[in-house]
Amino acid sequence: MTSMNIFESSVKPGLMAFQASTEDQEQVQELILKTARWLHSKGSTQWGRLLKGKDDHNLGGAIARGEVVIFRASGDHGLAGAVILQQQPSAWDRKLWELDETDSEGGTSVYLHRLVVDRDSTGKGLGRELMQWIERGIHFTGKDRIRLDCIAGNDKLSEFYRQCGYTYIGETNGYNIFEKMLIKS
């Protein structure tokens, strides 16, 4: 395990994790937009700003900083999923978690954003497998927890995070925030 230096790692038989490169950006962006369109079709406003061309998590910048992990099928190398894992809180995270610049707890957290699974792969437990790999497949030096959020009205996603062992911390500015302590190996 390395500190977000993922070149190739097995998630499970038939699925590999890679650190995204600039060549992956268009494909990852399309997967995220596909998910945003699906959420919108279900009446959710989660990721609605993406459909208006606003990328609050700066996918291109996250890829350049090595914060995006992609998951590809071993056989056809199709993109099965992706996630942004930030080791420093963004302005978004600082606002949600009410952190100031000197907050040491924010410094021990990894912030998970934009976890997506290809719509053709949903309902097969892949999202849970990716969450488990994120927690165990990468070592984050100096980090002891993962934090994430979702829109407060997305009960299904909130329940998914609870089932993955994340603790509901509360609601801030219309978003549910969750945290999970990492097991030290």
Side-chain angles (χ1 to χ4, degrees), residues 103-169:
D103 192 316
S104 63
E105 189 173 297
T108 64
S109 302
V110 172
Y111 295 87
L112 186 152
H113 294 288
R114 303 278 192 241
L115 174 69
V116 290
V117 173
D118 180 54
R119 300 301 319 148
D120 296 334
S121 300
T122 60
K124 301 174 186 169
L126 182 58
R128 184 179 311 277
E129 289 173 333
L130 297 184
M131 292 293 282
Q132 290 171 346
W133 181 86
I134 290 164
E135 296 160 19
R136 297 185 184 107
I138 308 173
H139 173 72
F140 299 97
T141 303
K143 307 297 180 181
D144 64 3
R145 69 195 74 207
I146 295 178
R147 289 179 167 176
L148 51 84
D149 65 87
C150 70
I151 200 161
N154 194 334
D155 296 336
K156 188 173 182 177
L157 187 54
S158 290
E159 182 58 27
F160 170 74
Y161 292 141
R162 284 186 187 98
Q163 289 175 357
C164 289
Y166 284 75
T167 301
Y168 173 74
I169 303 300

Side-chain angles (χ1 to χ4, degrees), residues 2-104:
T2 60
S3 179
M4 275 304 290
N5 191 6
I6 310 217
F7 294 102
E8 189 173 317
S9 175
S10 178
V11 175
K12 67 176 192 168
L15 188 67
M16 301 294 291
F18 301 89
Q19 201 160 22
S21 69
T22 55
E23 291 80 26
D24 300 309
Q25 183 171 342
E26 185 177 325
Q27 196 175 16
V28 173
Q29 183 72 29
E30 184 51 40
L31 181 61
I32 291 170
L33 286 170
K34 184 178 178 182
T35 302
R37 287 189 291 270
W38 176 81
L39 286 165
H40 182 73
S41 77
K42 300 294 181 190
S44 175
T45 58
Q46 180 107 17
W47 297 3
R49 291 175 50 86
L50 282 169
L51 298 177
K52 296 174 183 170
K54 301 197 185 327
D55 181 5
D56 295 320
H57 295 295
N58 184 7
L59 180 63
I63 288 173
R65 290 185 302 274
E67 299 171 339
V68 179
V69 177
I70 58 173
F71 303 92
R72 293 193 177 279
S74 298
D76 65 3
H77 299 287
L79 187 62
V83 66
I84 298 174
L85 298 168
Q86 296 175 317
Q87 294 190 60
Q88 297 300 317
S90 65
W92 173 269
D93 298 313
R94 289 194 175 284
K95 182 178 177 185
L96 278 182
W97 290 91
E98 299 175 353
L99 304 173
D100 64 33
E101 293 298 322
T102 62
D103 192 316
S104 63

